[in-house]
Amino acid sequence: MTEIPREEYILKCTSACAGCSDSLTLRYVLKAAGPETVLVVPACCTSVIQGIYPHTAMNIPVYNVAFAAAAACASGMSAAFQAAGKKANVIVYAGDGGTVDIGIQALSGAFERGTDFLYICYDNEAYGNTGMQRSGATPVGARTTTTPSGKIQVKKDLDGIVAAHNPPYMATACAAYPKDLFSKVQKALSIRGPKFIHVLAPCPPGWRFSSEKSVEMGKLAVRSGMWILYEREFGKVTINGPSKAAMIKPIPLEEYLEPQGRFKGISSEAVAMLRSQAERNAMRLKKEEEGIC
Amino acid sequence: MLTVATGNKAVAAAVKQACPSVVAAYPITPQTEIVEQIAEYVTSGELKSQYIPVESEHSAMAACIGAGVTGVRTFTATSSHGLHYMHEMVNWAAGARLPIVMANVNRALGPGWNIWAEHTDAFQERDTGWLQVYVASVQEAYDATLMAFRIAEHESVLLPVMVNLDGFLLSHSMQPLQSVDIGDFIPPIHLPHAIDISDPTSYGTLTGPNDYFRLRWDIERSMRDSVPVIRETQEEFARRFGRKYDFVEEYRCDDAEVVVIAMGTLGKEAEVAVDLLRREGLKAGSMRIRWLRPFPRIDLSGKEVVVIDRDYSFGFGGVIARSLAATEGVTPFSVIAGLGGQEVTYDDIAGFVRGRRPGEELWFGVNGHV
Ligand SMILES: Cc1ncc(C[n+]2csc(CCOP(=O)(O)OP(=O)(O)O)c2C)c(N)n1
Ligand code: SF4
Ligand SMILES: [Mg+2]
């Protein structure tokens, strides 16, 4: 594996919360992408943590754009670079709300058109920027400011939606596994066409756990099977090591749920729904990996 | 070269000559032909553009913005519902100081579904920071589109320009079209704030009130600076290609005691009405406002004014009548006519003038007659 470069493209002193996995994720994404990169960022926590004009914490060009517009904006940018014969990575870095909800149309359009870009969704499972309202990616049972007694519906299957577009490369990752994330970004950028990486980004204030536990929370998500690390490269699925291990011997789901205030008082029905969704996902991916789907 | 073309084809022909690097557009009646024609040009290789067949108008403008910020020339076209679907990005394009050119084929807004001419669609975008020009012939649609690129990309403007043509009345009317060899009329685009990988800059970050306020003023300053640029561009166009345009096209106004003011095709129809009224002994004239933004100053002193608005601002009035009342201190007879494609003939316009009632508002064919 290649060394992770020492260069930093997200500079110190951002206005991110302590323990923010959005910034941790971005740090490794940019290390993997390198300086020949333009980042397109819709409204989300990332548009806040860069700092206030005329200052910026970003050491690569960043185009901040309207909430629903990231994938379409990147389409235009990618086409313009192509027209001008310039080479640069065009990377959308968007939250779950900007991806599974308001931005899904633009995302779908850009993937259907075969846009040459990388779309990264960092998923903190709610609208962080506006103070933690539910999103389509919020899991069932989780309390947010608009689901004060826990979300009733299950998390939207974003990866299923993206997979239906048959992109040449898609993967999941988690901020708690930065090396895995790093190599997935590098691999994605080596392929032409629309690429997608969905990164679980545990969020201390949103999920209501203490800020030093961000990495631990990401690991618990993977070990409990609530988050599965895998890649789908030209249609071929590979489940990555940590999730392979979790599929053989998962930790109890409660170990992931209990430290999080958002799941406080979760009903046993909601836990059962979480469990069955996780099991269904694991089953489907395993079958796909073995080629029996 | 002299041909016969529709307004839509004339716009597409001008775009082909301006050769934008990126075109992103979504079809809507009555603009569709522009999108189709450009797709044809790109497919046949006559136009070397990246053509992005986006999935919506919001994405059309977003794609033009993403492309534009890299420093290349961009174009899109839309109409009514499409324009409003992209409204968020219409604002964004101006705020981001991107010289995008867009053709808007003016059409009414639903409900009920109505695909015919009305100006309310573009008028509702008048405060976004876009320059807006309204044309009255196929030839003018072509000429104005060519000029739009030069004006938008001028270093002291750097604002987007919307070229408006009346749905069906122009978009689908066949008229003679004299195309020109543009030569270097549109210089290569240079965007001073284009993305530069070697000079990493963040665009559109959080901006506090003081800086935000300054950026807004900067838009207004450029809007004001666009006035001499438009004038110079129109004069240069006339010098090179022989066709003259102004902010306001005046017709027999010099000795006129009453002037009819209208926009788009109605402005041309008004000229025929003026001839008719003159034959009847009334000293009439007409003015066709071409630029809605920047809004022109018009000397109307000593004249009676009849304004025909093919638009309406509910709870306020006809936008042009109200605007002129505010900027020029006149008391116009305000006629609301032509909404949703209502037919308005020169006879009707002559009737408005004969029965003028300064200070009053008439909804043609709806509330009272003249
Ligand atoms: C059109 C529009 N609607 C609503 C908003 C308000 N808004 C800004 S960011 C945001 C939520 C972002 O959530 P997500 O994409 O999950 O990113 P996060 O903030 O969690 O990082 C909302 C609702 C907006 N900026 N634009
Ligand atoms: S709310 Fe969560 S995602 Fe947003 S900055 Fe804070 S920790 Fe990061
Ligand atoms: Mg979020």
Side-chain angles (χ1 to χ4, degrees):
Chain A
M1 199 189 112
T2 41
E3 279 286 296
I4 293 183
R6 297 175 69 88
E7 283 83 11
E8 298 291 349
Y9 301 100
I10 168 165
L11 306 174
K12 288 187 178 127
C13 299
T14 70
S15 51
C17 316
C20 174
S21 332
D22 160 8
S23 355
L24 181 61
T25 302
L26 186 54
R27 183 167 172 227
Y28 283 91
V29 165
L30 296 179
K31 278 172 181 282
E36 310 275 286
T37 298
V38 182
L39 206 62
V40 178
V41 178
C44 57
C45 281
T46 310
S47 48
V48 179
I49 67 179
Q50 296 163 40
I52 297 179
Y53 175 88
H55 304 288
T56 179
M58 307 302 295
N59 202 13
I60 49 143
V62 181
Y63 198 71
N64 290 283
V65 76
F67 198 14
C73 179
S75 270
M77 201 175 274
S78 172
F81 282 140
Q82 212 166 312
K86 284 187 194 155
K87 271 193 79 69
N89 303 311
V90 176
I91 302 182
V92 169
Y93 192 71
D96 48 298
T99 305
V100 306
D101 294 336
I102 202 166
I104 193 91
Q105 173 180 311
L107 169 72
S108 175
F111 273 67
E112 184 269 334
R113 290 189 301 271
T115 304
D116 185 24
F117 78 138
L118 168 60
Y119 192 110
I120 296 176
C121 170
Y122 68 95
D123 187 354
N124 59 6
E125 303 193 314
Y127 296 164
N129 173 300
T130 39
M132 284 299 154
Q133 297 80 29
R134 91 192 273 287
S135 81
T138 302
V140 64
R143 289 170 196 267
T144 66
T145 55
T146 49
T147 55
S149 58
K151 192 183 173 210
I152 295 165
Q153 301 83 3
V154 298
K155 185 179 175 86
K156 195 191 275 193
D157 183 8
L158 171 64
D159 301 333
I161 295 170
V162 173
H165 295 76
N166 279 318
Y169 183 80
M170 63 179 287
T172 57
C174 174
Y177 298 82
K179 284 186 183 163
D180 176 67
L181 170 66
F182 179 89
S183 58
K184 283 171 175 169
V185 171
Q186 285 211 322
K187 190 186 283 183
L189 291 174
S190 72
I191 297 168
R192 265 192 78 82
K195 288 85 61 180
F196 179 77
I197 303 179
H198 188 183
V199 188
L200 185 71
C203 163
W207 297 12
R208 305 183 205 172
F209 62 82
S210 54
S211 55
E212 75 280 6
K213 291 214 162 82
S214 280
V215 170
E216 186 182 328
M217 211 52 64
K219 295 215 153 134
L220 291 173
V222 170
R223 286 185 194 143
S224 62
M226 280 303 291
W227 191 255
I228 303 172
L229 298 172
Y230 71 95
E231 290 165 278
R232 188 181 282 110
E233 227 178 315
F234 298 101
K236 193 178 163 350
V237 165
T238 311
I239 298 168
N240 306 122
S243 286
K244 272 234 156 74
M247 281 175 182
I248 297 162
K249 200 168 180 299
I251 59 163
L253 180 53
E254 288 69 19
E255 282 189 33
Y256 173 61
L257 303 182
E258 264 158 24
Q260 299 183 47
R262 64 175 176 160
F263 289 118
K264 195 162 173 226
I266 187 173
S267 68
S268 51
E269 291 84 7
V271 174
M273 282 162 87
L274 279 174
R275 184 170 284 124
S276 75
Q277 196 182 15
E279 285 170 1
R280 240 192 348 266
N281 284 345
M283 189 71 74
R284 206 180 53 200
L285 284 166
K286 250 197 299 206
K287 278 191 178 164
E288 212 186 314
E289 190 183 39
E290 288 159 12
I292 28 178
C293 56
Chain B
M1 190 173 67
L2 184 65
T3 50
V4 174
T6 61
N8 281 341
K9 286 255 167 74
V11 169
V15 170
K16 184 175 78 173
Q17 288 180 277
C19 198
S21 296
V22 175
V23 176
Y26 192 79
I28 177 168
T29 305
Q31 153 269 32
T32 319
E33 205 184 1
I34 301 179
V35 181
E36 291 171 341
Q37 186 62 53
I38 291 176
E40 284 271 348
Y41 286 146
V42 172
T43 307
S44 68
E46 285 172 88
L47 174 58
K48 300 233 173 316
S49 295
Q50 295 284 326
Y51 178 81
I52 312 179
V54 281
E55 80 300 330
S56 75
E57 289 87 355
H58 195 277
S59 288
M61 190 50 72
C64 286
I65 289 166
V69 75
T70 72
V72 304
R73 182 169 295 156
T74 57
F75 175 82
T76 187
T78 191
S79 174
S80 75
H81 287 261
L83 181 62
H84 286 240
Y85 196 66
M86 66 167 68
H87 173 67
E88 181 185 31
M89 307 317 292
V90 171
N91 279 280
W92 200 282
R97 307 305 305 263
L98 297 173
I100 296 164
V101 173
M102 168 161 66
N104 180 59
V105 183
N106 301 105
R107 166 187 152 177
L109 293 154
W113 282 120
N114 179 304
I115 55 172
W116 294 287
E118 187 177 322
H119 293 157
T120 311
D121 62 349
F123 275 33
Q124 287 187 10
E125 301 295 325
R126 68 184 178 273
D127 301 333
T128 54
W130 281 64
L131 281 68
Q132 285 199 27
V133 62
Y134 289 72
V135 304
S137 70
V138 166
Q139 184 67 59
E140 193 183 350
Y142 170 85
D143 295 347
T145 304
L146 288 177
M147 285 188 266
F149 285 100
R150 175 164 158 150
I151 294 164
E153 294 169 9
H154 192 283
E155 59 181 352
S156 48
V157 180
L158 293 174
L159 284 171
V161 177
M162 192 188 302
V163 178
N164 288 278
L165 56 155
D166 287 337
F168 293 103
L169 298 168
L170 265 190
S171 64
H172 288 66
S173 286
M174 298 284 274
Q175 292 175 6
L177 172 66
Q178 180 80 56
S179 55
V180 298
D181 179 357
I182 59 165
D184 60 359
F185 178 70
I186 308 174
I189 183 169
H190 171 70
L191 189 74
H193 55 286
I195 283 181
D196 177 0
I197 306 263
S198 63
D199 180 18
T201 304
S202 293
Y203 298 79
T205 42
L206 287 183
T207 307
N210 289 345
D211 286 315
Y212 185 82
F213 217 117
R214 265 197 288 279
L215 292 169
R216 292 280 116 177
W217 163 242
D218 211 52
I219 294 176
E220 173 56 15
R221 194 171 49 194
S222 298
M223 191 57 92
R224 293 179 194 186
D225 288 348
S226 75
V227 174
V229 174
I230 293 169
R231 186 175 298 120
E232 178 273 324
T233 301
Q234 291 177 161
E235 283 168 8
E236 178 65 13
F237 192 88
R239 249 193 311 278
R240 290 196 190 206
F241 311 121
R243 287 186 293 274
K244 234 175 127 333
Y245 295 98
D246 209 332
F247 287 86
V248 178
E249 292 297 322
E250 296 192 4
Y251 184 71
R252 302 180 83 169
C253 280
D254 285 348
D255 64 337
E257 285 158 10
V258 50
V259 286
V260 191
I261 297 178
M263 294 178 71
T265 51
L266 277 177
K268 265 263 179 281
E269 195 73 11
E271 295 177 5
V272 187
V274 164
D275 290 343
L276 178 68
L277 292 163
R278 289 252 170 188
R279 281 199 295 277
E280 293 172 9
L282 182 67
K283 282 195 174 162
S286 70
M287 292 180 180
R288 177 167 67 86
I289 296 181
R290 294 184 68 247
W291 288 90
L292 180 73
R293 291 292 182 273
F295 194 66
R297 294 306 306 261
I298 309 173
D299 183 7
L300 294 166
S301 50
K303 297 191 197 308
E304 278 192 81
V305 179
V306 175
V307 178
I308 308 173
D309 272 284
R310 184 170 224 142
D311 62 84
Y312 203 71
S313 174
F314 295 109
F316 181 62
V319 172
I320 297 302
R322 289 290 170 188
S323 301
L324 290 173
T327 58
E328 306 303 332
V330 291
T331 307
F333 177 42
S334 165
V335 181
I336 312 303
L339 304 190
Q342 181 196 41
E343 186 169 324
V344 184
T345 65
Y346 62 86
D347 257 337
D348 298 325
I349 296 173
F352 303 154
V353 177
R354 288 186 209 108
R356 65 195 176 278
R357 298 191 297 268
E360 289 190 30
E361 182 180 284
L362 168 83
W363 282 61
F364 175 52
V366 180
N367 72 355
H369 299 275
V370 283

